[in-house]
Amino acid sequence: MEEITDHLSSKQLSGKKKKKLYTKINTQMEFYFSDSNLAKDKFLQNLINQDSEGYVDLEIFKTFNKLKELTEDIDVIAAAVSKSNILQVNEDKTRIRRVAPLGKPKDFDACTLYVEKLPSYVDHKWIKDVFENFGTVDHINIPRFKISKRVKGFAFVEFSSPESVDKACEHYKKNSDAKQCDESEEDDSKNVKSRKASQMSDTEEKSSKKRKTENVMGLSEEKNNIEETPQASKDREANSDSEMKRSANRKRKHEDSDTDIQPKKAKDADTGLQTSDSKEESQKQDNTNNNSADETEKRSKHKRKHKKKKADGSERPSLRVMSKYEWKSYRNRYLALQRSTMSHIKKQIMLETQELRELETSHKSETATEPPKKGLQFQPGVILKVALPKPIENSTEVKDKVKANATVAYIDAPLGHSELFIRCHNQEEALSIVQNKKLQNLGSVQLLLGADEQSYWQKIEDERNLKFSVPLPHKKRGRDKIIAKAAKLAEQKNKHIYFEE
């Protein structure tokens, strides 16, 4: 609803919405004419200096982005600023000026505080509420990303005096020291627990070792008992016989006692029913107790979640704070380090490029000293000349006819000529084609010899040299390709179009 009412006129607004809009416009206009803004805003300074009384037209403020979001009506701006103690509007309500003259220029860097580790939901009001305890806040600058408009995580808070900056720094340093102490105590407690656990594990290991030694000792005693004398074995047999007799007597007594126990089982059955009923009642009570405990746990979890949702406004995150002078020293140190690393990287790149150039030059010199590689070597008695009755109209048809009758290395069939040249793999192949009359259906076949053969070979070499002397076209890729396309499009746009009258 605020976005809709911001652009409405003062007549259409009423009540709380109107009051809210007027306070926003008033605070924004007071910021434009504040000492901190005028010290940096040269455009507004020049407009104030141009007029003898220091008035500025309200029409100019319609172009300011922040004020344009609120309203574009001059009457609304004049009405909002009418109750201000800092600003004054003329009788026509078309111009505005600052009441009090500009104060002495102060050291803005000494009065500015750098704050980082800010949450994503931060705004000017949030920062003002946090730092207003240390002194009066004149200006807050929250840098944001251009596209997403998200907060970059840091801000600059300008106070009226440098003493408030010192107070804020001292306060947050104390908090950070206390947190570090708490963290160290937690680490110490964790270390103590780990030591206790290690001691417990050591004692368990020792006890297990003792048990193992006792077992080993028992096994050794058994072995010793096995290696006994014959008299000891006789004594053991006598003891086993006596034990067998005792066990038989015990069984008899147990059978007699079972006969006495059977009449008692009926009595126990009645008592068992009563005990089962009491057990069921106790189980029901346990289930109800468990259900109540689960419900209390669920309620506590719900409360925790509810508290987490409200954490944005109530709980303050741990901020990191320093004066702008200190921040500037860190920034300059970082920029110096960045420049040194970049210069080092550039030097390395230059050295690598020089090495590559030297390698290229050495490679070129090596290739220049090497003799040129020959393509085809002269072979006598390999070229056949075929005299055709008609000039060649389709070279592919002629080549197919030759390949159907004989296997050859190369066929030279230029269009419009009545002569066909065939290069065979070897001399025997050429002689077999002539003797067997394989290509007689095409025309008269003749084997080239002497000067005719040498002239044809010279022609082959000239054609090959001409073919390989022409440089290959360089394909444009990546950035060069895009630039070439853009140049072509620009040429097409810049062409003049002539229309017929």
Side-chain angles (χ1 to χ4, degrees):
M1 290 295 290
E2 287 179 11
E3 292 178 0
I4 297 164
T5 55
D6 285 346
H7 297 286
L8 296 172
S9 65
S10 60
K11 292 177 183 178
Q12 291 173 325
L13 291 168
S14 62
K16 289 181 181 179
K17 291 177 183 178
K18 185 178 179 180
K19 192 177 180 181
K20 197 173 182 180
L21 180 63
Y22 278 23
T23 51
K24 282 182 181 179
I25 293 162
N26 188 20
T27 51
Q28 192 64 36
M29 291 296 291
E30 283 179 355
F31 166 71
Y32 288 144
F33 284 93
S34 63
D35 292 336
S36 59
N37 187 55
L38 287 171
K40 299 161 192 172
D41 196 347
K42 290 181 180 179
F43 173 72
L44 200 58
Q45 268 186 3
N46 293 328
L47 291 171
I48 291 163
N49 294 328
Q50 282 174 9
D51 191 70
S52 59
E53 294 179 352
Y55 278 105
V56 181
D57 290 334
L58 285 170
E59 287 284 339
I60 291 160
F61 292 97
K62 286 168 71 176
T63 59
F64 289 21
N65 291 325
K66 288 277 177 76
L67 203 63
K68 198 192 287 184
E69 288 174 3
L70 299 170
T71 186
E72 291 183 3
D73 193 357
I74 297 166
D75 297 330
V76 175
I77 296 165
V81 179
S82 61
K83 293 180 182 180
S84 176
N85 298 322
I86 301 163
L87 305 173
Q88 186 183 2
V89 184
N90 65 346
E91 293 177 357
D92 297 334
K93 293 184 179 182
T94 56
R95 304 175 81 195
I96 192 168
R97 72 170 179 180
R98 180 185 160 125
V99 176
L102 278 167
K104 291 180 181 179
K106 65 176 181 179
D107 190 359
F108 290 102
D109 290 343
C111 298
T112 307
L113 188 76
Y114 169 77
V115 189
E116 66 179 14
K117 291 188 177 180
L118 291 169
S120 58
Y121 56 82
V122 76
D123 57 355
H124 287 79
K125 188 180 179 298
W126 191 92
I127 293 169
K128 197 173 183 181
D129 292 339
V130 172
F131 291 99
E132 213 167 19
N133 300 321
F134 307 109
T136 55
V137 177
D138 291 341
H139 176 57
I140 297 162
N141 182 17
I142 305 170
R144 294 174 182 273
F145 292 103
K146 285 184 178 179
I147 297 165
S148 61
K149 301 294 180 184
R150 286 190 299 106
V151 178
K152 289 186 177 181
F154 66 93
F156 294 97
V157 183
E158 188 185 319
F159 291 97
S160 59
S161 63
E163 286 81 11
S164 52
V165 174
D166 297 332
K167 282 180 187 178
C169 290
E170 285 175 5
H171 174 74
Y172 279 98
K173 276 179 184 176
K174 284 178 184 177
N175 289 337
S176 64
D177 293 334
K179 280 181 182 178
Q180 284 176 1
C181 291
D182 293 335
E183 285 174 0
S184 62
E185 286 175 1
E186 285 177 2
D187 294 332
D188 292 334
S189 64
K190 285 178 182 177
N191 291 325
V192 169
K193 285 179 182 178
S194 63
R195 283 173 192 168
K196 285 180 180 178
S198 63
Q199 286 174 1
M200 291 289 285
S201 62
D202 291 334
T203 53
E204 285 176 359
E205 284 177 0
K206 285 178 183 178
S207 62
S208 64
K209 283 179 181 178
K210 283 182 181 179
R211 286 168 190 165
K212 285 178 182 178
T213 52
E214 287 173 358
N215 291 326
V216 170
M217 291 293 288
L219 289 167
S220 63
E221 286 176 359
E222 285 177 1
K223 286 179 182 178
N224 292 326
N225 291 326
I226 289 161
E227 295 174 357
E228 285 176 352
T229 57
Q231 289 179 357
S233 62
K234 286 177 182 179
D235 294 331
R236 191 180 289 164
E237 286 175 359
N239 290 324
S240 63
D241 292 332
S242 63
E243 283 177 1
M244 290 286 285
K245 288 176 182 179
R246 286 172 189 170
S247 63
N249 292 324
R250 283 172 191 164
K251 282 181 182 179
R252 285 172 190 169
K253 287 178 182 179
H254 185 68
E255 286 173 358
D256 295 332
S257 63
D258 287 337
T259 55
D260 296 330
I261 289 162
Q262 283 176 359
K264 290 180 182 179
K265 284 184 180 178
K267 292 180 182 179
D268 292 333
D270 297 329
T271 56
L273 291 168
Q274 292 175 359
T275 54
S276 63
D277 295 332
S278 63
K279 282 179 183 178
E280 286 177 359
E281 288 175 359
S282 64
Q283 283 178 358
K284 285 178 181 179
Q285 287 178 357
D286 292 332
N287 290 326
T288 53
N289 291 325
N290 290 325
N291 291 326
S292 63
D294 292 333
E295 285 176 0
T296 52
E297 283 179 2
K298 284 178 182 178
R299 284 172 189 170
S300 63
K301 284 179 182 178
H302 183 69
K303 284 178 182 177
R304 284 172 202 160
K305 286 179 182 178
H306 195 60
K307 282 179 183 177
K308 283 178 184 177
K309 285 177 184 177
K310 291 184 178 180
D312 293 350
S314 60
E315 294 181 4
R316 302 291 184 193
S318 59
L319 302 175
R320 191 178 173 185
V321 161
M322 66 178 78
S323 64
K324 197 171 181 181
Y325 279 127
E326 195 178 352
W327 174 78
K328 275 189 172 180
S329 67
Y330 282 122
R331 184 200 62 182
N332 294 335
R333 212 184 301 170
Y334 169 74
L335 291 171
L337 195 141
Q338 195 179 29
R339 287 191 205 100
S340 63
T341 50
M342 286 301 292
S343 63
H344 179 68
I345 289 161
K346 283 177 182 176
K347 282 177 184 177
Q348 281 187 339
I349 290 163
M350 290 293 287
L351 289 168
E352 286 176 1
T353 50
Q354 283 178 359
E355 287 175 1
L356 286 167
R357 282 172 187 170
E358 287 173 1
L359 285 168
E360 284 177 0
T361 52
S362 63
H363 183 68
K364 282 179 182 177
S365 62
E366 286 174 2
T367 52
T369 53
E370 287 178 1
K373 292 180 180 179
K374 292 182 180 180
L376 287 169
Q377 292 180 355
F378 177 75
Q379 286 181 334
V382 175
I383 307 299
L384 296 173
K385 181 184 175 183
V386 182
L388 301 170
K390 291 179 182 180
I392 297 164
E393 292 177 357
N394 192 350
S395 59
T396 53
E397 286 181 3
V398 175
K399 285 178 183 180
D400 291 336
K401 286 177 182 178
V402 172
K403 286 174 184 178
N405 293 315
T407 55
V408 294
Y410 182 73
I411 301 162
D412 184 12
L415 290 168
H417 290 263
S418 57
E419 290 178 348
L420 175 70
F421 294 94
I422 298 165
R423 180 164 57 83
C424 300
H425 293 100
N426 48 37
Q427 197 172 5
E428 289 80 9
E429 192 178 85
L431 288 169
S432 67
I433 289 165
V434 174
Q435 288 172 4
N436 296 325
K437 298 178 181 180
K438 290 180 180 179
L439 303 174
Q440 196 174 5
N441 57 349
L442 294 171
S444 60
V445 182
Q446 182 187 353
L447 185 67
L448 288 179
L449 296 168
D452 294 335
E453 189 179 14
Q454 285 179 358
S455 64
Y456 185 75
W457 276 103
Q458 189 63 41
K459 180 194 166 189
I460 290 167
E461 280 186 9
D462 293 338
E463 284 178 356
R464 282 179 67 81
N465 291 328
L466 194 140
K467 183 181 178 181
F468 292 113
S469 63
V470 177
L472 291 167
H474 179 68
K475 285 186 178 181
K476 291 179 181 178
R477 292 178 181 177
R479 188 182 172 188
D480 297 331
K481 192 176 181 181
I482 293 160
I483 290 162
K485 279 185 178 179
K488 279 184 181 179
L489 289 168
E491 284 177 5
Q492 287 174 3
K493 284 181 180 179
N494 293 329
K495 280 182 181 179
H496 294 286
I497 301 165
Y498 296 97
F499 297 98
E500 291 179 0
E501 292 181 359

